[in-house]
Amino acid sequence: MTISTRFWRRNRVELAHLNCPGHVFPKHFHEEYVIGVNTSGLEKIWISGKQAEAGLTDVTLYNPGEVQTSHAVG
């Protein structure tokens, strides 16, 4: 499994590019809003007790304090 990350910050906006097929993100939350865009693969998501999937070009929005976990599939 190859994992790569790139990270940029400008003013109060942060941008991260993750390539992490097969990686599991354990339960966590963010203190800020998060917008995610899947540019490849599939992400299985558990957020606030509900399950979802995000595929190619799907956009996900996370509110501050929402407990989440995900699994990057492929």
Short mmCIF file of all heavy atoms in Angstrom, two decimals:
data_model
loop_
_atom_site.label_atom_id
_atom_site.label_comp_id
_atom_site.label_asym_id
_atom_site.label_seq_id
_atom_site.Cartn_x
_atom_site.Cartn_y
_atom_site.Cartn_z
N MET A 1 0.84 -1.17 0.00
CA MET A 1 0.00 0.00 0.00
C MET A 1 0.89 1.24 0.00
O MET A 1 1.78 1.39 0.82
CB MET A 1 -0.91 -0.03 1.23
CG MET A 1 -1.63 1.27 1.46
SD MET A 1 -2.82 1.29 2.81
CE MET A 1 -2.02 0.44 4.12
N THR A 2 0.67 2.12 -0.94
CA THR A 2 1.41 3.36 -1.03
C THR A 2 0.55 4.49 -0.50
O THR A 2 -0.58 4.67 -0.95
CB THR A 2 1.81 3.66 -2.49
OG1 THR A 2 2.60 2.58 -2.97
CG2 THR A 2 2.59 4.96 -2.58
N ILE A 3 1.07 5.24 0.45
CA ILE A 3 0.36 6.38 1.02
C ILE A 3 1.16 7.64 0.70
O ILE A 3 2.36 7.68 0.93
CB ILE A 3 0.18 6.24 2.54
CG1 ILE A 3 -0.68 5.02 2.86
CG2 ILE A 3 -0.43 7.50 3.13
CD1 ILE A 3 -0.82 4.73 4.33
N SER A 4 0.47 8.64 0.16
CA SER A 4 1.14 9.91 -0.08
C SER A 4 0.21 11.04 0.36
O SER A 4 -1.01 10.92 0.25
CB SER A 4 1.53 10.07 -1.55
OG SER A 4 0.38 10.14 -2.36
N THR A 5 0.79 12.09 0.87
CA THR A 5 0.01 13.24 1.30
C THR A 5 0.71 14.51 0.84
O THR A 5 1.93 14.57 0.74
CB THR A 5 -0.16 13.30 2.82
OG1 THR A 5 1.12 13.40 3.43
CG2 THR A 5 -0.88 12.09 3.35
N ARG A 6 -0.09 15.50 0.55
CA ARG A 6 0.40 16.85 0.28
C ARG A 6 -0.48 17.80 1.07
O ARG A 6 -1.68 17.56 1.23
CB ARG A 6 0.34 17.18 -1.21
CG ARG A 6 1.36 16.39 -2.01
CD ARG A 6 1.37 16.79 -3.44
NE ARG A 6 0.17 16.23 -4.07
CZ ARG A 6 -0.18 16.43 -5.32
NH1 ARG A 6 0.54 17.18 -6.10
NH2 ARG A 6 -1.27 15.89 -5.82
N PHE A 7 0.09 18.87 1.58
CA PHE A 7 -0.65 19.76 2.45
C PHE A 7 -0.30 21.20 2.14
O PHE A 7 0.87 21.53 1.97
CB PHE A 7 -0.29 19.45 3.92
CG PHE A 7 -1.08 20.20 4.92
CD1 PHE A 7 -2.37 19.82 5.25
CD2 PHE A 7 -0.54 21.31 5.55
CE1 PHE A 7 -3.10 20.52 6.18
CE2 PHE A 7 -1.27 22.02 6.48
CZ PHE A 7 -2.55 21.63 6.79
N TRP A 8 -1.33 22.05 2.03
CA TRP A 8 -1.15 23.47 1.79
C TRP A 8 -1.97 24.26 2.80
O TRP A 8 -3.03 23.83 3.21
CB TRP A 8 -1.63 23.87 0.40
CG TRP A 8 -0.96 23.16 -0.73
CD1 TRP A 8 0.13 23.58 -1.43
CD2 TRP A 8 -1.34 21.93 -1.32
NE1 TRP A 8 0.45 22.69 -2.41
CE2 TRP A 8 -0.44 21.66 -2.37
CE3 TRP A 8 -2.36 21.00 -1.06
CZ2 TRP A 8 -0.53 20.51 -3.16
CZ3 TRP A 8 -2.45 19.86 -1.84
CH2 TRP A 8 -1.53 19.64 -2.87
N ARG A 9 -1.48 25.43 3.16
CA ARG A 9 -2.23 26.31 4.06
C ARG A 9 -2.08 27.75 3.56
O ARG A 9 -1.00 28.20 3.24
CB ARG A 9 -1.69 26.22 5.48
CG ARG A 9 -2.42 27.14 6.45
CD ARG A 9 -1.87 27.05 7.85
NE ARG A 9 -2.20 25.71 8.34
CZ ARG A 9 -1.50 25.08 9.28
NH1 ARG A 9 -0.44 25.64 9.81
NH2 ARG A 9 -1.85 23.89 9.68
N ARG A 10 -3.22 28.44 3.49
CA ARG A 10 -3.20 29.85 3.11
C ARG A 10 -4.26 30.57 3.93
O ARG A 10 -5.44 30.22 3.85
CB ARG A 10 -3.49 30.01 1.62
CG ARG A 10 -3.40 31.44 1.19
CD ARG A 10 -3.51 31.57 -0.29
NE ARG A 10 -3.40 32.99 -0.61
CZ ARG A 10 -2.92 33.46 -1.71
NH1 ARG A 10 -2.50 32.64 -2.63
NH2 ARG A 10 -2.87 34.74 -1.93
N ASN A 11 -3.83 31.55 4.67
CA ASN A 11 -4.72 32.27 5.58
C ASN A 11 -5.40 31.27 6.51
O ASN A 11 -4.73 30.53 7.19
CB ASN A 11 -5.70 33.15 4.82
CG ASN A 11 -5.00 34.21 3.99
OD1 ASN A 11 -3.98 34.75 4.40
ND2 ASN A 11 -5.53 34.51 2.82
N ARG A 12 -6.71 31.19 6.49
CA ARG A 12 -7.43 30.28 7.39
C ARG A 12 -7.96 29.05 6.67
O ARG A 12 -8.81 28.33 7.18
CB ARG A 12 -8.57 31.03 8.05
CG ARG A 12 -8.08 32.12 8.98
CD ARG A 12 -9.19 32.88 9.61
NE ARG A 12 -10.16 31.94 10.16
CZ ARG A 12 -11.08 32.25 11.03
NH1 ARG A 12 -11.18 33.47 11.46
NH2 ARG A 12 -11.93 31.35 11.46
N VAL A 13 -7.45 28.78 5.47
CA VAL A 13 -7.91 27.62 4.70
C VAL A 13 -6.76 26.63 4.56
O VAL A 13 -5.64 26.99 4.22
CB VAL A 13 -8.39 28.06 3.29
CG1 VAL A 13 -8.76 26.85 2.45
CG2 VAL A 13 -9.55 29.02 3.40
N GLU A 14 -7.07 25.36 4.86
CA GLU A 14 -6.08 24.29 4.70
C GLU A 14 -6.58 23.33 3.62
O GLU A 14 -7.77 23.06 3.51
CB GLU A 14 -5.92 23.53 6.01
CG GLU A 14 -5.37 24.38 7.13
CD GLU A 14 -5.29 23.63 8.45
OE1 GLU A 14 -5.81 22.49 8.53
OE2 GLU A 14 -4.73 24.19 9.39
N LEU A 15 -5.65 22.80 2.84
CA LEU A 15 -5.98 21.85 1.79
C LEU A 15 -5.04 20.66 1.91
O LEU A 15 -3.82 20.84 2.02
CB LEU A 15 -5.82 22.51 0.41
CG LEU A 15 -6.04 21.62 -0.80
CD1 LEU A 15 -7.49 21.14 -0.85
CD2 LEU A 15 -5.69 22.38 -2.06
N ALA A 16 -5.62 19.48 1.90
CA ALA A 16 -4.81 18.26 1.97
C ALA A 16 -5.19 17.35 0.82
O ALA A 16 -6.38 17.22 0.49
CB ALA A 16 -5.02 17.55 3.29
N HIS A 17 -4.21 16.73 0.20
CA HIS A 17 -4.43 15.74 -0.84
C HIS A 17 -3.89 14.42 -0.31
O HIS A 17 -2.69 14.30 -0.01
CB HIS A 17 -3.71 16.13 -2.13
CG HIS A 17 -3.88 15.12 -3.21
ND1 HIS A 17 -3.01 14.09 -3.40
CD2 HIS A 17 -4.85 14.98 -4.14
CE1 HIS A 17 -3.42 13.35 -4.41
NE2 HIS A 17 -4.54 13.87 -4.88
N LEU A 18 -4.77 13.44 -0.15
CA LEU A 18 -4.37 12.14 0.40
C LEU A 18 -4.55 11.06 -0.65
O LEU A 18 -5.58 11.01 -1.32
CB LEU A 18 -5.23 11.78 1.61
CG LEU A 18 -5.30 12.80 2.74
CD1 LEU A 18 -6.30 12.35 3.77
CD2 LEU A 18 -3.94 13.00 3.36
N ASN A 19 -3.57 10.20 -0.78
CA ASN A 19 -3.67 9.01 -1.60
C ASN A 19 -3.33 7.85 -0.68
O ASN A 19 -2.16 7.61 -0.38
CB ASN A 19 -2.71 9.08 -2.79
CG ASN A 19 -2.83 7.86 -3.68
OD1 ASN A 19 -3.74 7.04 -3.51
ND2 ASN A 19 -1.91 7.73 -4.61
N CYS A 20 -4.37 7.17 -0.19
CA CYS A 20 -4.13 6.17 0.85
C CYS A 20 -5.06 4.97 0.70
O CYS A 20 -5.84 4.68 1.61
CB CYS A 20 -4.29 6.81 2.22
SG CYS A 20 -5.82 7.73 2.42
N PRO A 21 -5.00 4.25 -0.42
CA PRO A 21 -5.89 3.11 -0.61
C PRO A 21 -5.71 2.07 0.49
O PRO A 21 -4.60 1.75 0.89
CB PRO A 21 -5.49 2.56 -1.98
CG PRO A 21 -4.12 3.08 -2.23
CD PRO A 21 -4.03 4.39 -1.50
N GLY A 22 -6.83 1.60 1.01
CA GLY A 22 -6.79 0.58 2.05
C GLY A 22 -6.65 1.12 3.46
O GLY A 22 -6.79 0.39 4.43
N HIS A 23 -6.39 2.41 3.59
CA HIS A 23 -6.17 2.99 4.92
C HIS A 23 -7.50 3.14 5.66
O HIS A 23 -8.51 3.49 5.08
CB HIS A 23 -5.49 4.35 4.82
CG HIS A 23 -5.12 4.93 6.15
ND1 HIS A 23 -4.07 4.44 6.89
CD2 HIS A 23 -5.68 5.93 6.86
CE1 HIS A 23 -3.99 5.14 8.01
NE2 HIS A 23 -4.95 6.04 8.02
N VAL A 24 -7.48 2.87 6.96
CA VAL A 24 -8.65 3.06 7.81
C VAL A 24 -8.36 4.21 8.76
O VAL A 24 -7.35 4.20 9.47
CB VAL A 24 -8.97 1.78 8.62
CG1 VAL A 24 -10.12 2.02 9.59
CG2 VAL A 24 -9.30 0.63 7.67
N PHE A 25 -9.23 5.19 8.75
CA PHE A 25 -9.12 6.31 9.69
C PHE A 25 -9.98 5.97 10.90
O PHE A 25 -11.19 5.78 10.77
CB PHE A 25 -9.62 7.61 9.04
CG PHE A 25 -8.74 8.08 7.92
CD1 PHE A 25 -8.97 7.66 6.62
CD2 PHE A 25 -7.68 8.94 8.17
CE1 PHE A 25 -8.17 8.10 5.58
CE2 PHE A 25 -6.86 9.38 7.14
CZ PHE A 25 -7.11 8.95 5.84
N PRO A 26 -9.39 5.86 12.09
CA PRO A 26 -10.17 5.52 13.28
C PRO A 26 -11.13 6.65 13.65
O PRO A 26 -11.05 7.75 13.11
CB PRO A 26 -9.10 5.34 14.36
CG PRO A 26 -7.93 6.12 13.88
CD PRO A 26 -7.99 6.11 12.38
N LYS A 27 -12.04 6.36 14.59
CA LYS A 27 -13.00 7.37 15.03
C LYS A 27 -12.28 8.63 15.47
O LYS A 27 -11.31 8.58 16.22
CB LYS A 27 -13.86 6.85 16.17
CG LYS A 27 -14.93 5.89 15.72
CD LYS A 27 -15.84 5.52 16.88
CE LYS A 27 -16.88 4.53 16.40
NZ LYS A 27 -17.75 4.10 17.51
N HIS A 28 -12.78 9.76 14.96
CA HIS A 28 -12.19 11.05 15.29
C HIS A 28 -13.20 12.14 14.94
O HIS A 28 -14.28 11.85 14.42
CB HIS A 28 -10.89 11.27 14.50
CG HIS A 28 -11.10 11.40 13.03
ND1 HIS A 28 -11.35 10.32 12.21
CD2 HIS A 28 -11.13 12.49 12.23
CE1 HIS A 28 -11.50 10.74 10.97
NE2 HIS A 28 -11.39 12.06 10.94
N PHE A 29 -12.87 13.36 15.24
CA PHE A 29 -13.69 14.49 14.82
C PHE A 29 -12.78 15.67 14.53
O PHE A 29 -11.60 15.67 14.89
CB PHE A 29 -14.75 14.86 15.87
CG PHE A 29 -14.16 15.41 17.15
CD1 PHE A 29 -13.99 16.78 17.30
CD2 PHE A 29 -13.79 14.58 18.18
CE1 PHE A 29 -13.44 17.30 18.47
CE2 PHE A 29 -13.26 15.08 19.35
CZ PHE A 29 -13.09 16.45 19.50
N HIS A 30 -13.32 16.65 13.85
CA HIS A 30 -12.58 17.87 13.54
C HIS A 30 -13.23 19.04 14.27
O HIS A 30 -14.44 19.04 14.48
CB HIS A 30 -12.60 18.14 12.02
CG HIS A 30 -11.95 17.04 11.24
ND1 HIS A 30 -10.60 17.04 10.94
CD2 HIS A 30 -12.45 15.92 10.68
CE1 HIS A 30 -10.32 15.97 10.24
NE2 HIS A 30 -11.42 15.26 10.08
N GLU A 31 -12.46 20.02 14.61
CA GLU A 31 -12.98 21.20 15.28
C GLU A 31 -13.46 22.25 14.28
O GLU A 31 -13.92 23.31 14.68
CB GLU A 31 -11.93 21.79 16.21
CG GLU A 31 -11.60 20.86 17.37
CD GLU A 31 -10.58 21.45 18.31
OE1 GLU A 31 -10.12 22.59 18.10
OE2 GLU A 31 -10.22 20.74 19.28
N GLU A 32 -13.34 21.95 13.00
CA GLU A 32 -13.73 22.89 11.96
C GLU A 32 -14.56 22.15 10.90
O GLU A 32 -14.67 20.94 10.92
CB GLU A 32 -12.50 23.52 11.31
CG GLU A 32 -11.59 22.54 10.62
CD GLU A 32 -10.67 21.77 11.55
OE1 GLU A 32 -10.11 22.35 12.47
OE2 GLU A 32 -10.53 20.54 11.33
N TYR A 33 -15.16 22.89 9.99
CA TYR A 33 -15.87 22.28 8.87
C TYR A 33 -14.86 21.60 7.95
O TYR A 33 -13.75 22.10 7.77
CB TYR A 33 -16.64 23.33 8.07
CG TYR A 33 -17.81 23.89 8.82
CD1 TYR A 33 -17.71 25.10 9.49
CD2 TYR A 33 -19.02 23.21 8.86
CE1 TYR A 33 -18.79 25.62 10.19
CE2 TYR A 33 -20.11 23.72 9.55
CZ TYR A 33 -19.99 24.93 10.22
OH TYR A 33 -21.04 25.43 10.91
N VAL A 34 -15.25 20.49 7.36
CA VAL A 34 -14.40 19.77 6.42
C VAL A 34 -15.21 19.49 5.16
O VAL A 34 -16.34 19.02 5.22
CB VAL A 34 -13.89 18.44 7.01
CG1 VAL A 34 -13.13 17.63 5.98
CG2 VAL A 34 -13.01 18.69 8.23
N ILE A 35 -14.62 19.79 4.02
CA ILE A 35 -15.20 19.47 2.71
C ILE A 35 -14.26 18.47 2.05
O ILE A 35 -13.06 18.73 1.92
CB ILE A 35 -15.33 20.72 1.83
CG1 ILE A 35 -16.20 21.77 2.51
CG2 ILE A 35 -15.88 20.33 0.45
CD1 ILE A 35 -16.19 23.11 1.81
N GLY A 36 -14.79 17.32 1.66
CA GLY A 36 -13.98 16.31 1.00
C GLY A 36 -14.45 16.07 -0.42
O GLY A 36 -15.65 16.14 -0.70
N VAL A 37 -13.52 15.79 -1.33
CA VAL A 37 -13.85 15.45 -2.71
C VAL A 37 -13.08 14.19 -3.07
O VAL A 37 -11.85 14.17 -2.96
CB VAL A 37 -13.48 16.60 -3.69
CG1 VAL A 37 -13.80 16.19 -5.12
CG2 VAL A 37 -14.18 17.89 -3.31
N ASN A 38 -13.78 13.15 -3.47
CA ASN A 38 -13.11 11.92 -3.88
C ASN A 38 -12.75 12.01 -5.36
O ASN A 38 -13.63 12.14 -6.21
CB ASN A 38 -14.03 10.73 -3.64
CG ASN A 38 -14.12 10.37 -2.18
OD1 ASN A 38 -14.29 11.25 -1.34
ND2 ASN A 38 -14.02 9.11 -1.86
N THR A 39 -11.46 11.95 -5.65
CA THR A 39 -11.00 12.02 -7.04
C THR A 39 -10.66 10.65 -7.61
O THR A 39 -10.35 10.54 -8.79
CB THR A 39 -9.78 12.96 -7.14
OG1 THR A 39 -8.74 12.47 -6.30
CG2 THR A 39 -10.15 14.38 -6.74
N SER A 40 -10.71 9.63 -6.75
CA SER A 40 -10.52 8.26 -7.22
C SER A 40 -10.98 7.31 -6.12
O SER A 40 -11.11 7.69 -4.96
CB SER A 40 -9.05 7.98 -7.58
OG SER A 40 -8.25 8.04 -6.42
N GLY A 41 -11.22 6.07 -6.49
CA GLY A 41 -11.56 5.05 -5.52
C GLY A 41 -12.91 5.24 -4.85
O GLY A 41 -13.79 5.95 -5.34
N LEU A 42 -13.06 4.61 -3.71
CA LEU A 42 -14.29 4.61 -2.94
C LEU A 42 -13.95 4.77 -1.47
O LEU A 42 -12.95 4.22 -0.99
CB LEU A 42 -15.04 3.28 -3.16
CG LEU A 42 -16.30 3.07 -2.35
CD1 LEU A 42 -17.43 3.95 -2.88
CD2 LEU A 42 -16.72 1.60 -2.42
N GLU A 43 -14.76 5.51 -0.76
CA GLU A 43 -14.56 5.70 0.67
C GLU A 43 -15.82 5.24 1.39
O GLU A 43 -16.92 5.69 1.08
CB GLU A 43 -14.30 7.18 0.96
CG GLU A 43 -14.04 7.47 2.41
CD GLU A 43 -13.80 8.95 2.67
OE1 GLU A 43 -14.14 9.78 1.82
OE2 GLU A 43 -13.28 9.25 3.76
N LYS A 44 -15.65 4.31 2.32
CA LYS A 44 -16.76 3.87 3.16
C LYS A 44 -16.70 4.70 4.43
O LYS A 44 -15.67 4.73 5.11
CB LYS A 44 -16.65 2.38 3.46
CG LYS A 44 -16.84 1.54 2.22
CD LYS A 44 -16.87 0.07 2.53
CE LYS A 44 -17.11 -0.71 1.26
NZ LYS A 44 -17.34 -2.12 1.54
N ILE A 45 -17.81 5.34 4.75
CA ILE A 45 -17.84 6.34 5.83
C ILE A 45 -18.84 5.93 6.89
O ILE A 45 -19.93 5.46 6.59
CB ILE A 45 -18.25 7.71 5.25
CG1 ILE A 45 -17.27 8.14 4.16
CG2 ILE A 45 -18.34 8.76 6.36
CD1 ILE A 45 -17.79 9.28 3.30
N TRP A 46 -18.48 6.15 8.14
CA TRP A 46 -19.40 6.06 9.27
C TRP A 46 -19.34 7.43 9.93
O TRP A 46 -18.25 7.89 10.30
CB TRP A 46 -18.95 4.98 10.24
CG TRP A 46 -19.85 4.85 11.44
CD1 TRP A 46 -20.91 4.00 11.58
CD2 TRP A 46 -19.76 5.58 12.66
NE1 TRP A 46 -21.49 4.17 12.81
CE2 TRP A 46 -20.80 5.14 13.50
CE3 TRP A 46 -18.91 6.57 13.13
CZ2 TRP A 46 -21.00 5.66 14.77
CZ3 TRP A 46 -19.12 7.08 14.39
CH2 TRP A 46 -20.14 6.62 15.20
N ILE A 47 -20.48 8.09 10.04
CA ILE A 47 -20.51 9.42 10.65
C ILE A 47 -21.77 9.58 11.47
O ILE A 47 -22.88 9.33 10.98
CB ILE A 47 -20.36 10.53 9.58
CG1 ILE A 47 -20.29 11.89 10.24
CG2 ILE A 47 -21.46 10.47 8.55
CD1 ILE A 47 -19.79 12.99 9.34
N SER A 48 -21.58 9.90 12.72
CA SER A 48 -22.69 10.12 13.66
C SER A 48 -23.70 8.97 13.62
O SER A 48 -24.91 9.19 13.60
CB SER A 48 -23.36 11.46 13.37
OG SER A 48 -22.45 12.51 13.59
N GLY A 49 -23.21 7.74 13.57
CA GLY A 49 -24.06 6.56 13.63
C GLY A 49 -24.66 6.12 12.31
O GLY A 49 -25.41 5.16 12.27
N LYS A 50 -24.34 6.79 11.21
CA LYS A 50 -24.89 6.43 9.90
C LYS A 50 -23.76 6.02 8.96
O LYS A 50 -22.66 6.55 9.04
CB LYS A 50 -25.65 7.60 9.30
CG LYS A 50 -26.85 8.01 10.14
CD LYS A 50 -27.55 9.18 9.54
CE LYS A 50 -28.69 9.61 10.44
NZ LYS A 50 -29.35 10.82 9.96
N GLN A 51 -24.07 5.09 8.05
CA GLN A 51 -23.08 4.64 7.08
C GLN A 51 -23.38 5.22 5.71
O GLN A 51 -24.53 5.41 5.34
CB GLN A 51 -23.07 3.12 7.01
CG GLN A 51 -22.60 2.49 8.30
CD GLN A 51 -22.47 0.98 8.19
OE1 GLN A 51 -22.54 0.41 7.11
NE2 GLN A 51 -22.27 0.34 9.32
N ALA A 52 -22.32 5.49 4.97
CA ALA A 52 -22.46 6.04 3.61
C ALA A 52 -21.23 5.63 2.81
O ALA A 52 -20.24 5.13 3.36
CB ALA A 52 -22.58 7.56 3.66
N GLU A 53 -21.31 5.85 1.52
CA GLU A 53 -20.17 5.64 0.63
C GLU A 53 -19.99 6.87 -0.23
O GLU A 53 -20.96 7.50 -0.65
CB GLU A 53 -20.38 4.42 -0.27
CG GLU A 53 -20.34 3.11 0.47
CD GLU A 53 -20.43 1.90 -0.46
OE1 GLU A 53 -20.69 2.09 -1.67
OE2 GLU A 53 -20.24 0.79 0.03
N ALA A 54 -18.75 7.21 -0.50
CA ALA A 54 -18.43 8.33 -1.39
C ALA A 54 -17.54 7.77 -2.50
O ALA A 54 -16.49 7.21 -2.22
CB ALA A 54 -17.71 9.44 -0.63
N GLY A 55 -18.00 7.92 -3.73
CA GLY A 55 -17.25 7.43 -4.88
C GLY A 55 -16.64 8.58 -5.67
O GLY A 55 -16.60 9.73 -5.21
N LEU A 56 -16.22 8.25 -6.84
CA LEU A 56 -15.55 9.20 -7.72
C LEU A 56 -16.38 10.47 -7.90
O LEU A 56 -17.56 10.40 -8.23
CB LEU A 56 -15.30 8.54 -9.08
CG LEU A 56 -14.53 9.35 -10.11
CD1 LEU A 56 -13.12 9.63 -9.60
CD2 LEU A 56 -14.47 8.60 -11.42
N THR A 57 -15.77 11.59 -7.64
CA THR A 57 -16.31 12.96 -7.74
C THR A 57 -17.38 13.29 -6.69
O THR A 57 -17.95 14.37 -6.73
CB THR A 57 -16.87 13.30 -9.15
OG1 THR A 57 -18.07 12.59 -9.38
CG2 THR A 57 -15.85 13.03 -10.23
N ASP A 58 -17.65 12.41 -5.73
CA ASP A 58 -18.59 12.75 -4.66
C ASP A 58 -17.97 13.77 -3.72
O ASP A 58 -16.76 13.77 -3.48
CB ASP A 58 -18.99 11.51 -3.86
CG ASP A 58 -19.99 10.65 -4.59
OD1 ASP A 58 -20.67 11.16 -5.50
OD2 ASP A 58 -20.10 9.46 -4.23
N VAL A 59 -18.81 14.62 -3.19
CA VAL A 59 -18.38 15.64 -2.24
C VAL A 59 -19.01 15.30 -0.89
O VAL A 59 -20.20 15.00 -0.81
CB VAL A 59 -18.83 17.05 -2.69
CG1 VAL A 59 -18.49 18.09 -1.65
CG2 VAL A 59 -18.20 17.39 -4.03
N THR A 60 -18.20 15.34 0.17
CA THR A 60 -18.70 15.09 1.52
C THR A 60 -18.47 16.34 2.36
O THR A 60 -17.47 17.04 2.20
CB THR A 60 -17.98 13.89 2.16
OG1 THR A 60 -16.57 14.07 2.06
CG2 THR A 60 -18.36 12.59 1.48
N LEU A 61 -19.43 16.61 3.25
CA LEU A 61 -19.35 17.76 4.13
C LEU A 61 -19.47 17.28 5.57
O LEU A 61 -20.37 16.50 5.90
CB LEU A 61 -20.50 18.74 3.82
CG LEU A 61 -20.62 19.19 2.38
CD1 LEU A 61 -21.90 19.99 2.17
CD2 LEU A 61 -19.41 20.02 1.99
N TYR A 62 -18.57 17.74 6.42
CA TYR A 62 -18.56 17.33 7.82
C TYR A 62 -18.66 18.58 8.70
O TYR A 62 -17.92 19.54 8.50
CB TYR A 62 -17.27 16.59 8.15
CG TYR A 62 -17.03 15.37 7.29
CD1 TYR A 62 -16.25 15.45 6.14
CD2 TYR A 62 -17.59 14.15 7.62
CE1 TYR A 62 -16.04 14.34 5.33
CE2 TYR A 62 -17.37 13.03 6.82
CZ TYR A 62 -16.60 13.13 5.69
OH TYR A 62 -16.38 12.03 4.92
N ASN A 63 -19.55 18.51 9.66
CA ASN A 63 -19.69 19.61 10.61
C ASN A 63 -18.69 19.45 11.76
O ASN A 63 -18.30 18.33 12.09
CB ASN A 63 -21.10 19.64 11.18
CG ASN A 63 -22.11 20.03 10.15
OD1 ASN A 63 -21.91 20.97 9.39
ND2 ASN A 63 -23.22 19.30 10.09
N PRO A 64 -18.31 20.53 12.39
CA PRO A 64 -17.41 20.44 13.55
C PRO A 64 -18.02 19.53 14.62
O PRO A 64 -19.22 19.59 14.88
CB PRO A 64 -17.31 21.88 14.04
CG PRO A 64 -17.67 22.72 12.87
CD PRO A 64 -18.65 21.92 12.08
N GLY A 65 -17.19 18.67 15.19
CA GLY A 65 -17.62 17.83 16.29
C GLY A 65 -18.31 16.54 15.90
O GLY A 65 -18.59 15.72 16.77
N GLU A 66 -18.59 16.31 14.62
CA GLU A 66 -19.23 15.05 14.20
C GLU A 66 -18.20 13.93 14.26
O GLU A 66 -17.15 13.99 13.64
CB GLU A 66 -19.76 15.15 12.77
CG GLU A 66 -21.02 15.96 12.64
CD GLU A 66 -21.60 15.90 11.24
OE1 GLU A 66 -20.86 16.17 10.27
OE2 GLU A 66 -22.77 15.57 11.13
N VAL A 67 -18.53 12.87 15.01
CA VAL A 67 -17.63 11.73 15.12
C VAL A 67 -17.73 10.92 13.83
O VAL A 67 -18.82 10.64 13.34
CB VAL A 67 -18.00 10.86 16.34
CG1 VAL A 67 -17.11 9.63 16.41
CG2 VAL A 67 -17.88 11.68 17.62
N GLN A 68 -16.56 10.57 13.29
CA GLN A 68 -16.53 9.88 12.00
C GLN A 68 -15.39 8.88 11.94
O GLN A 68 -14.41 8.96 12.69
CB GLN A 68 -16.35 10.90 10.87
CG GLN A 68 -15.06 11.69 11.01
CD GLN A 68 -14.89 12.74 9.97
OE1 GLN A 68 -14.71 12.40 8.81
NE2 GLN A 68 -14.94 14.00 10.36
N THR A 69 -15.52 7.94 11.03
CA THR A 69 -14.45 7.02 10.69
C THR A 69 -14.62 6.72 9.21
O THR A 69 -15.71 6.85 8.66
CB THR A 69 -14.46 5.74 11.54
OG1 THR A 69 -13.34 4.93 11.18
CG2 THR A 69 -15.73 4.95 11.37
N SER A 70 -13.56 6.31 8.54
CA SER A 70 -13.70 5.96 7.13
C SER A 70 -12.64 4.94 6.73
O SER A 70 -11.62 4.79 7.40
CB SER A 70 -13.62 7.20 6.24
OG SER A 70 -12.35 7.77 6.29
N HIS A 71 -12.91 4.30 5.61
CA HIS A 71 -12.02 3.29 5.04
C HIS A 71 -11.88 3.60 3.56
O HIS A 71 -12.87 3.57 2.83
CB HIS A 71 -12.61 1.90 5.27
CG HIS A 71 -11.77 0.81 4.70
ND1 HIS A 71 -12.27 -0.43 4.43
CD2 HIS A 71 -10.47 0.75 4.34
CE1 HIS A 71 -11.33 -1.21 3.93
NE2 HIS A 71 -10.23 -0.51 3.87
N ALA A 72 -10.68 3.92 3.14
CA ALA A 72 -10.40 4.21 1.73
C ALA A 72 -10.25 2.87 1.00
O ALA A 72 -9.31 2.13 1.26
CB ALA A 72 -9.15 5.04 1.58
N VAL A 73 -11.18 2.59 0.11
CA VAL A 73 -11.19 1.32 -0.61
C VAL A 73 -10.73 1.57 -2.04
O VAL A 73 -11.43 2.23 -2.80
CB VAL A 73 -12.60 0.69 -0.61
CG1 VAL A 73 -12.59 -0.65 -1.32
CG2 VAL A 73 -13.12 0.56 0.81
N GLY A 74 -9.58 1.08 -2.38
CA GLY A 74 -9.08 1.22 -3.76
C GLY A 74 -8.74 2.64 -4.15
O GLY A 74 -8.89 3.57 -3.43
#
